[in-house]
Amino acid sequence: MSGRGQPVVLIVEDEAAVATAYRRMLESEYAVRLAANGTEALEKLGDDVDVVLLDRMMPGLQGEEVLSVIRDRGIDCRVAMVTAVEPDLDIVEMGFDAYVQKPPTPTQLRETVRDLLARTEYTTELQEYYAAESKRAALDARDFEEISESREYGELESQIVTLKATLDRSADDLTDDMTFLTVLRSLESDEREEA
Amino acid sequence: MVDREALRETVSEHVDPGTSVLLSGPVHGGQLGLCFDVLTAGHTTSTGFLFVSTDLRSAAVVDAFGDRVPDFATSQCRVVDARGDRSGPFGETSEAVASVSSPSDLTGIGIEVIRGISALRGRKRTDVRLGIHSLSTLVEYLDPKTVFKFLHTLTGRCAATDISCLATLNEPIHDAQVVNLIASIFDVHVQIREVDDGFQLRILGMGTGPTRWMPVGDLG
């Protein structure tokens, strides 16, 4: 994931005219990179890429193969499949985070990217919430009265309330199957990284 | 002494669609029996049961529902068997049972939970209730941080879709910090402890502070 600056979007599309059209739709908000096929995509795929728009049908390496390399390498990015075929739950099971039906309108494409980046926000908020709850759990386990009455503990509690309220607002997004599974997938990938 | 039926009622009073409940206690403390008791409390023909099991055989899960629901039909329950390798070479799969590769396969569990909910709701079982046994196994396989985030995400989705969620924890095998961390996710915490002459239970998280410890009999 890129730290600061514009989020990076990698467009993998074999038709140059289509790729250029996508770039125009996104370049005002994002740093856009293009790859003309799967092999090139894997070369251009660094840790700084946030979102990959992956054409399903390409000569050479297919979209699904590129995806499985991305997941195997443990690159923490969101991948949307761009497909002319009506997609179903299989796409979720393949490990894609979203799909875009061809040909997308500029609004659809921008919304997909925005939505995928928002899921990263949820996992960031969840990490902050975890850190705060974990601190409180540790203090509670020590069970000293002076701790629970201290000013720091009070501040921690109000921080937890704020973080929880923020997360609860995002909970509605989890009713979307793909969003829910994207979060679970990223938890698993974090777990593997730390193991 | 609070008897089993009274206890079922007391706990169920605090469980609405979307509520999450942690049931923690020692092995043989009865939290699993209580989990099934509360999952099936006040069931109607529109109630459907979803159960994620990392420990119990799927057949035992189905039986536990059958014992508590008159005219029980397997079509009103879905078991996600997440015992992984421990389920033996013949992972159980049937109309009511789906298997995932391991307790640490969170995406696999998530996919089967989504499928289970949609299968039950497709059969007009709109009041879906989710049970999980046991969180202790998840903690055994995964970092407590990952378990915390997983449970937060799962209970968040359940709350947003009016599904009550009950999960068990074998409390004494974890340190207090892990127990506190996991308990913080749930709306209600039913805690069972062993004392010299049996078991006691209290309920936390109703906004009024913990109840007093109540002696309880055999919860099965």
Side-chain angles (χ1 to χ4, degrees), chain A residues 11 13-25 34 36:
Chain A
I11 296 167
E13 168 62 60
D14 59 304
E15 284 180 61
V18 176
T20 308
Y22 292 171
R23 176 161 67 187
R24 286 206 189 105
M25 296 175 191
L34 299 184

Side-chain angles (χ1 to χ4, degrees), chain A residues 3-90:
Chain A
R4 288 151 136 221
Q6 283 184 319
V8 178
V9 179
L10 175 65
I11 296 167
V12 189
E13 168 62 60
D14 59 304
E15 284 180 61
V18 176
T20 308
Y22 292 171
R23 176 161 67 187
R24 286 206 189 105
M25 296 175 191
L26 298 170
E27 66 191 354
S28 63
E29 287 172 73
Y30 308 106
V32 179
R33 284 181 210 165
L34 299 184
N37 55 54
T39 316
E40 208 181 310
L42 294 177
E43 285 163 15
K44 292 196 173 171
L45 201 70
D47 280 333
D48 58 340
V49 173
D50 297 288
V51 171
V52 181
L53 298 175
L54 193 54
D55 190 31
R56 187 177 195 176
M57 303 293 281
M58 289 179 296
L61 228 46
Q62 296 284 296
E64 280 134 65
E65 294 168 293
V66 176
L67 175 71
S68 79
V69 177
I70 292 175
R71 297 302 185 212
D72 287 348
R73 280 199 202 162
I75 298 170
D76 190 14
C77 62
R78 308 284 167 259
V79 186
M81 177 199 267
V82 186
T83 172
V85 191
E86 176 86 35
D88 53 25
L89 193 66
D90 289 349

Side-chain angles (χ1 to χ4, degrees), chain B residues 26-38:
Chain B
V27 181
H28 308 305
Q31 59 270 24
L32 179 58
L34 185 59
C35 179
F36 284 114
D37 282 357
V38 177

Side-chain angles (χ1 to χ4, degrees), chain A residues 89-90 92-93 122-123 126-127 129-130 133-134 136-141 164 167-168 171-172 174-178 180-181 183-185 187-188 190-191 194, chain B residues 104-115 141-154 156-157 160-161 176-178 180-181 184-185 187:
Chain A
L89 193 66
D90 289 349
V92 179
E93 286 181 42
Y122 174 84
T123 53
L126 190 54
Q127 171 58 31
Y129 179 60
Y130 163 77
E133 278 290 11
S134 151
R136 175 161 74 175
L139 289 173
D140 284 347
K164 193 168 167 38
L167 271 176
D168 284 349
D172 270 346
L174 296 171
T175 59
D176 176 73
D177 293 347
M178 285 206 175
F180 178 64
L181 292 173
V183 173
L184 299 190
R185 207 177 290 122
L187 297 184
E188 274 191 72
D190 289 351
E191 168 91 18
E194 283 172 27
Chain B
S104 59
D105 180 6
L106 301 181
T107 313
I109 294 174
I111 287 173
E112 293 308 336
V113 164
I114 289 172
R115 284 204 170 132
Y141 277 75
L142 298 156
D143 192 272
K145 176 168 80 178
T146 308
V147 176
F148 174 90
K149 291 179 178 179
F150 171 67
L151 291 173
H152 192 278
T153 307
L154 183 62
R157 180 178 164 114
T161 51
Q177 196 177 335
V178 170
N180 290 343
L181 184 64
S184 72
I185 299 163
D187 301 318

